Amino acid sequence: MPHAPEPDEDDLDPIAAPQPVFHVEQALLGALLLDPHRLGDVTGIAADSFSTAAHAALFAAINTLPPPDPAEHAKNTKWLDRVLATGGGQARGLTASYLHTLVQVCPWPRHAPAYARMVEAEHSRRRLQTAAERLVQTVHDASLPHPVQTVLAEADALAAVVDDIAARFPPRAGVLPRTPAPPPAVAPDYTEAVEEEQMLLATATANPADIESVRWLLPDDLTLPLHAGLWQCLTALARRREPVDPVTVLWEAQQRGLLDDGSEPGEVLRLLAEPAGSVEHWGERALQRSLLATGDRTGRRIEAYAGDTANTPFQLVVGARRSLADIGAVRTRWQHATGTVPTPQPRTAPTTRAGPPTTTAAYTGRAARATR
């Protein structure tokens, strides 16, 4: 027999409880409604720093209207009425009763600067999460005519957000976020990558003198462990100036234990026997995939950090900068491969709170030097 719903049951999803920042915003707005002159003590935030449209509209109204005379404000609600009229035009959720609620829930109006700092911290976390999400989305946008340049531009935009947060919340001792790394993304179809890497390995075997020209390509840039191992074999033989052909590469692979995973010697020989194109072309293709994969991992890691509300702004800055250093290292190798140096994206100078001269660019620079 089908379950008969009780009279009080319905199909509506339960309404999630407000996050802590919602109550912080209420306390801040209540303090400003009680004592509008405290607005001068509130820095680092704007209307878009708030998590709801109603709160944003109310803060904008308070910030726009001239403050009332304290004595008059204590006697009547004229200024509050003007705030409601101004903010209500932007958000229908504002009512006189809600303004009364805000006044009632404010514990201490003199704590308004502390409340504003909390709102600023939460807004910084949301900004970082949004920028990381854009980076991941850009990596997977198959319609981009120039994916590498676009992804690097998004990485620069993300780095600019990190720098601005660092200026507002200068990092303390390097405490990394406690958030565990996100699980690996679902593996895409590697058919094209595998085929191109096979041609890279075969072409390098046929033209070992060209291996020196792609020193910027690392084994980790290849998608399959076997391919990464075979590239190590090729570079080692070329560095030792030993003969390079499918048989010598196979023997080197055996010495390195690459065949222990069950790879058939005949399969490896066939893989290395069909050269096509140039080593530089296939190497650049592999490096491009590696750069995009690094952008995806970096964006998803920072997104996970920002999605964990237990992380402080200081931890977000440290974790994000370390993650962005990975992109910086691959970017440097990409520039060596293509002979191009992209124009740096301008960074927006922070409008509040000057921070220490430690920037994401410094982290990226150190990572880049490590690859030389």
Side-chain angles (χ1 to χ4, degrees):
M1 178 179 296
H3 169 69
E6 296 296 330
D8 58 347
E9 290 185 10
D10 55 41
D11 295 330
L12 297 178
D13 294 330
I15 299 176
Q19 295 296 313
V21 70
F22 179 83
H23 301 285
V24 173
E25 292 174 2
Q26 285 188 320
L28 172 60
L29 294 171
L32 298 179
L33 293 173
L34 281 168
D35 191 351
H37 291 274
R38 294 190 184 277
L39 183 63
D41 301 327
V42 173
T43 60
I45 62 173
D48 63 358
S49 301
F50 290 81
S51 62
T52 72
H55 288 178
L58 184 55
F59 182 80
I62 295 172
N63 202 42
T64 301
L65 295 172
D69 178 79
E72 287 295 320
H73 186 56
K75 295 178 182 178
N76 57 62
T77 63
K78 290 183 179 179
W79 185 79
L80 294 178
D81 294 339
R82 294 178 62 194
V83 169
L84 179 59
T86 303
Q90 303 298 321
R92 288 184 292 179
L94 287 178
T95 62
S97 63
Y98 188 63
L99 266 62
H100 178 72
T101 298
L102 295 176
V103 170
Q104 293 296 317
V105 300
C106 178
W108 296 100
R110 66 174 179 269
H111 292 170
Y115 302 150
R117 187 68 163 160
M118 297 173 193
V119 171
E120 183 181 9
E122 179 64 14
H123 182 231
S124 295
R125 187 184 66 80
R126 293 197 303 269
R127 288 174 59 207
L128 185 63
Q129 188 170 26
T130 299
E133 290 172 352
R134 281 201 300 266
L135 174 59
V136 174
Q137 291 169 358
T138 302
V139 168
H140 295 283
D141 187 351
S143 67
L144 297 175
H146 305 289
V148 170
Q149 293 86 336
T150 309
V151 166
L152 290 178
E154 285 295 341
D156 287 337
L158 175 56
V161 173
V162 175
D163 284 346
D164 184 62
I165 296 173
R168 296 168 179 269
F169 299 88
R172 297 170 181 168
V175 180
L176 284 169
R178 296 182 294 269
T179 311
V186 177
D189 182 5
Y190 280 137
T191 302
E192 182 180 43
V194 169
E195 292 177 351
E196 292 185 357
E197 289 174 7
Q198 289 175 349
M199 285 186 278
L200 165 69
L201 295 169
T203 305
T205 301
N207 303 278
D210 294 340
I211 295 176
E212 179 68 16
S213 66
V214 293
R215 294 179 60 187
W216 33 261
L217 186 66
L218 301 180
D220 287 344
D221 293 326
L222 305 186
T223 57
L224 295 183
L226 176 62
H227 291 178
L230 290 174
W231 183 250
Q232 285 182 312
C233 295
L234 280 162
T235 55
L237 290 171
R239 185 174 60 251
R240 300 197 304 259
R241 300 185 183 280
E242 296 183 8
V244 177
D245 62 37
V247 173
T248 61
V249 175
L250 175 64
W251 186 255
E252 182 76 13
Q254 176 178 278
Q255 300 302 302
R256 292 172 176 265
L258 294 182
L259 306 182
D260 295 345
D261 63 355
S263 297
E264 295 289 339
E267 177 187 351
V268 174
L269 289 174
R270 286 191 296 273
L271 183 155
L272 298 173
E274 298 179 3
S278 69
V279 173
E280 288 190 5
H281 171 75
W282 299 124
E284 186 175 318
R285 290 283 296 170
L287 183 58
Q288 174 175 316
R289 276 190 296 272
S290 179
L291 188 150
L292 297 179
T294 302
D296 178 69
R297 288 194 302 271
T298 297
R300 292 175 64 249
R301 188 181 300 122
I302 296 176
E303 188 178 347
Y305 290 159
D308 185 350
T309 56
N311 289 323
T312 67
F314 315 106
Q315 290 175 302
L316 293 178
V317 168
V318 173
R321 281 179 166 167
R322 291 202 178 186
S323 299
L324 285 165
D326 294 341
I327 294 183
V330 186
R331 180 204 295 258
T332 299
R333 294 192 288 118
W334 175 258
Q335 293 173 8
H336 290 168
T338 60
T340 59
V341 179
T343 303
Q345 296 294 319
R347 301 263 181 101
T348 303
T351 56
T352 59
R353 297 193 180 93
T358 303
T359 65
T360 302
Y363 281 73
T364 303
R366 285 197 290 272
R369 289 194 294 274
T371 65
R372 295 176 184 172

PDB file of all heavy atoms in Angstrom, residues 56 66-67 101 119 132 145 223 302 320 325 356:
ATOM      1  N   ALA A  56      23.059  43.634   1.093  1.00  0.00           N
ATOM      2  CA  ALA A  56      23.847  44.510   0.224  1.00  0.00           C
ATOM      3  C   ALA A  56      23.115  45.823  -0.023  1.00  0.00           C
ATOM      4  O   ALA A  56      23.713  46.904   0.037  1.00  0.00           O
ATOM      5  CB  ALA A  56      24.136  43.811  -1.101  1.00  0.00           C
ATOM      6  N   PRO A  66      23.412  60.622   4.094  1.00  0.00           N
ATOM      7  CA  PRO A  66      24.190  61.309   5.139  1.00  0.00           C
ATOM      8  C   PRO A  66      23.720  60.870   6.516  1.00  0.00           C
ATOM      9  O   PRO A  66      22.524  60.630   6.717  1.00  0.00           O
ATOM     10  CB  PRO A  66      23.897  62.793   4.875  1.00  0.00           C
ATOM     11  CG  PRO A  66      22.611  62.811   4.124  1.00  0.00           C
ATOM     12  CD  PRO A  66      22.587  61.562   3.304  1.00  0.00           C
ATOM     13  N   PRO A  67      24.635  60.714   7.466  1.00  0.00           N
ATOM     14  CA  PRO A  67      24.230  60.246   8.796  1.00  0.00           C
ATOM     15  C   PRO A  67      23.345  61.283   9.491  1.00  0.00           C
ATOM     16  O   PRO A  67      23.494  62.493   9.271  1.00  0.00           O
ATOM     17  CB  PRO A  67      25.557  60.057   9.528  1.00  0.00           C
ATOM     18  CG  PRO A  67      26.517  60.963   8.812  1.00  0.00           C
ATOM     19  CD  PRO A  67      26.076  60.964   7.385  1.00  0.00           C
ATOM     20  N   THR A 101      14.454  43.875  13.594  1.00  0.00           N
ATOM     21  CA  THR A 101      15.145  42.637  13.963  1.00  0.00           C
ATOM     22  C   THR A 101      16.657  42.841  13.988  1.00  0.00           C
ATOM     23  O   THR A 101      17.346  42.374  14.906  1.00  0.00           O
ATOM     24  CB  THR A 101      14.795  41.515  12.969  1.00  0.00           C
ATOM     25  OG1 THR A 101      13.387  41.257  13.030  1.00  0.00           O
ATOM     26  CG2 THR A 101      15.561  40.241  13.283  1.00  0.00           C
ATOM     27  N   VAL A 119      33.039  39.986   7.851  1.00  0.00           N
ATOM     28  CA  VAL A 119      32.361  40.042   6.552  1.00  0.00           C
ATOM     29  C   VAL A 119      33.392  40.102   5.428  1.00  0.00           C
ATOM     30  O   VAL A 119      33.260  39.434   4.389  1.00  0.00           O
ATOM     31  CB  VAL A 119      31.417  41.258   6.491  1.00  0.00           C
ATOM     32  CG1 VAL A 119      30.878  41.457   5.068  1.00  0.00           C
ATOM     33  CG2 VAL A 119      30.263  41.094   7.473  1.00  0.00           C
ATOM     34  N   ALA A 132      38.695  30.415  -8.626  1.00  0.00           N
ATOM     35  CA  ALA A 132      39.175  29.050  -8.849  1.00  0.00           C
ATOM     36  C   ALA A 132      38.208  28.277  -9.732  1.00  0.00           C
ATOM     37  O   ALA A 132      38.626  27.508 -10.615  1.00  0.00           O
ATOM     38  CB  ALA A 132      39.366  28.344  -7.508  1.00  0.00           C
ATOM     39  N   PRO A 145      39.801  29.085 -28.797  1.00  0.00           N
ATOM     40  CA  PRO A 145      40.762  28.984 -29.908  1.00  0.00           C
ATOM     41  C   PRO A 145      42.207  28.930 -29.425  1.00  0.00           C
ATOM     42  O   PRO A 145      43.070  28.362 -30.078  1.00  0.00           O
ATOM     43  CB  PRO A 145      40.492  30.266 -30.712  1.00  0.00           C
ATOM     44  CG  PRO A 145      39.898  31.219 -29.719  1.00  0.00           C
ATOM     45  CD  PRO A 145      39.118  30.390 -28.752  1.00  0.00           C
ATOM     46  N   THR A 223      50.929  11.249 -20.099  1.00  0.00           N
ATOM     47  CA  THR A 223      49.738  10.798 -19.381  1.00  0.00           C
ATOM     48  C   THR A 223      49.846   9.390 -18.827  1.00  0.00           C
ATOM     49  O   THR A 223      49.254   9.083 -17.799  1.00  0.00           O
ATOM     50  CB  THR A 223      48.507  10.883 -20.302  1.00  0.00           C
ATOM     51  OG1 THR A 223      48.756  10.099 -21.475  1.00  0.00           O
ATOM     52  CG2 THR A 223      48.224  12.317 -20.701  1.00  0.00           C
ATOM     53  N   ILE A 302      42.459  24.823  -4.985  1.00  0.00           N
ATOM     54  CA  ILE A 302      42.138  26.108  -4.358  1.00  0.00           C
ATOM     55  C   ILE A 302      40.637  26.206  -4.109  1.00  0.00           C
ATOM     56  O   ILE A 302      40.191  26.767  -3.094  1.00  0.00           O
ATOM     57  CB  ILE A 302      42.638  27.272  -5.240  1.00  0.00           C
ATOM     58  CG1 ILE A 302      44.163  27.227  -5.338  1.00  0.00           C
ATOM     59  CG2 ILE A 302      42.182  28.607  -4.691  1.00  0.00           C
ATOM     60  CD1 ILE A 302      44.757  28.266  -6.267  1.00  0.00           C
ATOM     61  N   ALA A 320      46.873  28.764  -1.538  1.00  0.00           N
ATOM     62  CA  ALA A 320      46.670  29.153  -2.934  1.00  0.00           C
ATOM     63  C   ALA A 320      47.994  29.471  -3.610  1.00  0.00           C
ATOM     64  O   ALA A 320      48.216  29.107  -4.773  1.00  0.00           O
ATOM     65  CB  ALA A 320      45.727  30.352  -3.007  1.00  0.00           C
ATOM     66  N   ALA A 325      52.075  28.040  -7.660  1.00  0.00           N
ATOM     67  CA  ALA A 325      53.471  27.857  -8.054  1.00  0.00           C
ATOM     68  C   ALA A 325      53.613  26.719  -9.055  1.00  0.00           C
ATOM     69  O   ALA A 325      54.523  26.735  -9.899  1.00  0.00           O
ATOM     70  CB  ALA A 325      54.328  27.589  -6.820  1.00  0.00           C
ATOM     71  N   PRO A 356      52.484  43.069   3.167  1.00  0.00           N
ATOM     72  CA  PRO A 356      53.921  42.907   2.984  1.00  0.00           C
ATOM     73  C   PRO A 356      54.255  42.686   1.522  1.00  0.00           C
ATOM     74  O   PRO A 356      53.398  42.300   0.741  1.00  0.00           O
ATOM     75  CB  PRO A 356      54.233  41.653   3.825  1.00  0.00           C
ATOM     76  CG  PRO A 356      52.952  40.879   3.797  1.00  0.00           C
ATOM     77  CD  PRO A 356      51.854  41.904   3.794  1.00  0.00           C
TER      78      PRO A 356
END
